[in-house]
Amino acid sequence: MDDIVRQAMAKWPNVPNCFGWLGLDERGNWYMRDDRVQAAGPFPQSKGSLLRHEKLIDFIHRNYDRDEGGQWFFQNGPQRVYVELAATPWIFRVAGVDRVMTHTGEPAQVRSSLVDEAGRLYLETDRGFGLVHTQDIVQASEAVESGRWVPLDVRAAELPARYGYVTSPAQRVEASHP
């Protein structure tokens, strides 16, 4: 986490959390979701505007974390901006069996692999759990075919509970405040 973010958190400790405004898709892309987009439906059906500003994306990546309840957020100064996940909290890029990176650019060591009913490949790593980017399936298949990764079958609907993450913090908040 950036020092400036820690300083802002100390200076303004009671800033309310933000829900529904930021989404992460299945390819590791970030989307800004204004009121109009949120009113049009949940993420990812209603995505919003693709973020393209590299310095903003890098800032999000450096300050991306999870809370004790499995909800992922971007710490924006003193405010937590909770992230709507299209699939998983991490999207993995695969450049070879021993070269796996998170969508935030951190190296990850694969512990196990899973495949769901739609054929999507997931990795359990030292960084956490996530989906393999669709553009990297060829490289990932080499690890599977060589026997280095042996995917276990899993149902996609079971993954959030199994790996302790929340795909929609906004819907969780809405459900707790009817």
Side-chain angles (χ1 to χ4, degrees):
M1 188 176 295
D2 290 359
D3 284 337
I4 194 166
V5 170
R6 279 194 267 287
Q7 293 168 8
M9 291 168 58
K11 187 172 182 177
W12 298 290
N14 298 316
V15 174
N17 295 328
C18 180
F19 293 89
W21 284 79
L22 186 63
L24 178 68
D25 76 2
E26 293 178 333
R27 294 183 139 216
N29 295 312
W30 296 102
Y31 287 85
M32 187 63 65
R33 305 180 70 243
D34 62 19
D35 285 330
R36 179 188 56 78
V37 171
Q38 290 180 53
F43 189 78
Q45 291 80 18
S46 181
K47 283 189 173 180
S49 302
L50 176 65
L51 294 182
R52 297 182 189 274
H53 192 281
E54 287 183 33
K55 290 186 187 246
L56 174 58
I57 293 168
D58 288 344
F59 182 63
I60 292 170
H61 287 175
R62 288 191 312 272
N63 297 286
Y64 181 59
D65 204 351
R66 69 181 292 242
D67 68 14
E68 61 283 344
Q71 299 177 114
W72 287 78
F73 63 90
F74 152 54
Q75 188 71 45
N76 184 25
Q79 184 175 53
R80 280 189 178 180
V81 178
Y82 280 91
V83 178
E84 300 293 296
L85 303 173
T88 60
W90 295 110
I91 305 302
F92 291 112
R93 300 306 312 251
V94 179
V97 175
D98 297 321
R99 293 220 19 199
V100 175
M101 305 282 280
T102 67
H103 67 276
T104 63
E106 299 294 325
Q109 295 298 312
V110 177
R111 294 180 177 158
S112 65
S113 59
L114 300 99
V115 65
D116 72 11
E117 64 275 9
R120 290 178 294 215
L121 183 64
Y122 302 87
L123 301 176
E124 184 178 356
T125 76
D126 61 334
R127 296 271 180 206
F129 180 76
L131 179 67
V132 171
H133 193 290
T134 55
Q135 288 181 328
D136 297 343
I137 289 300
V138 171
Q139 294 89 330
S141 69
E142 292 169 6
V144 171
E145 289 173 6
S146 72
R148 301 262 323 251
W149 298 349
V150 181
L152 302 172
D153 290 332
V154 68
R155 296 194 43 77
E158 299 168 358
L159 294 173
R162 183 173 180 173
Y163 289 96
Y165 63 92
V166 175
T167 57
S168 180
Q171 288 179 357
R172 181 183 258 187
V173 167
E174 289 172 13
S176 68
H177 296 93

